[in-house]
Amino acid sequence: MRRFFISCSLSMALFAVISVSNVAQAADQMPARVETASGALVLATNTWQRETGLSMVDVGVYAGARLAQRSDFANAAGAKRLRLVPQRALSADQIGRMLVRDLAAAGSKAEAAQHMSALVALGGSFATSKPLAAGDSLGIEYLPGQGVRALINDAPVGAFVGDAQFFSLLARNWVTEPAGERLVTVAAR
């Protein structure tokens, strides 16, 4: 019995070390600043990790200035970027399912229907790219007067679609903390 408890204690200690290592890795994968056609954006809040059912994903949000809390991000004024770094490879189909889930979870059926054509166009941008490898970044960026566009490894993919409301709907699911879900916050650099 004693060996069992020692074994469990060692396993939990190893899990804690691995978790801290993964959290530190998340901070390293999010640059402090990113450049857009509208100018520089800064890492607006601490980064965090989220389990999507497909992969653990490191999440960073960028805006014109630091934000008090990440729930302010979806409705922040100006250019902004949601940057996701999956810890395992994701296909275009899996990315598409994540986007559909985000839109459905964040708004009403009417809002989802209103933005469905923009979602299909945005998903098409990812569909033309190769699958994401673990550690590659997937981004969704909003630029005022231009719309929303997809980014892979911080490079634009596809055309601008949608509007600020469409971006807010997509981002809202990533910046809110669902009941019962554990988000691991990483200190800002």
Side-chain angles (χ1 to χ4, degrees):
M1 185 67 124
R2 181 181 169 137
R3 283 185 179 166
F4 174 75
F5 287 118
I6 290 171
S7 176
C8 288
S9 296
L10 289 174
S11 295
M12 289 188 319
L14 180 60
F15 177 74
V17 168
I18 291 169
S19 294
V20 169
S21 170
N22 287 345
V23 169
Q25 179 183 353
D28 291 341
Q29 293 181 353
M30 298 298 168
R33 299 170 49 102
V34 294
E35 294 295 325
T36 72
S38 296
L41 299 176
V42 299
L43 192 57
T45 68
N46 292 346
T47 61
W48 63 96
Q49 293 180 322
R50 183 173 199 155
E51 175 59 50
T52 66
L54 299 172
S55 174
M56 181 66 83
V57 175
D58 302 328
V59 183
V61 294
Y62 294 83
R66 293 275 300 165
L67 300 171
Q69 53 193 23
R70 60 177 177 246
S71 59
D72 295 337
F73 174 71
N75 296 314
K80 47 198 165 188
R81 180 182 294 181
L82 174 66
R83 188 171 193 267
L84 310 171
V85 181
Q87 293 183 7
R88 72 171 194 86
L90 293 177
S91 68
D93 182 54
Q94 291 169 320
I95 293 168
R97 284 194 308 243
M98 277 185 357
L99 292 173
V100 168
R101 182 211 61 206
D102 292 347
L103 192 63
S108 67
K109 287 182 181 181
E111 287 175 311
Q114 177 185 352
H115 296 287
M116 193 52 66
S117 63
L119 181 66
V120 169
L122 186 66
S125 298
F126 291 117
T128 60
S129 67
K130 64 182 175 97
L132 290 180
D136 283 351
S137 71
L138 154 69
I140 301 171
E141 177 177 75
Y142 169 71
L143 299 178
Q146 297 180 61
V148 178
R149 69 176 169 185
L151 303 145
I152 295 185
N153 293 322
D154 298 316
V157 179
F160 283 99
V161 299
D163 57 12
Q165 183 184 17
F166 174 59
F167 181 86
S168 293
L169 285 170
L170 290 174
R172 194 177 307 151
N173 198 45
W174 287 96
V175 298
T176 57
E177 204 165 330
E181 185 166 325
R182 184 179 68 90
L183 299 180
V184 180
T185 301
V186 181
R189 298 188 295 157

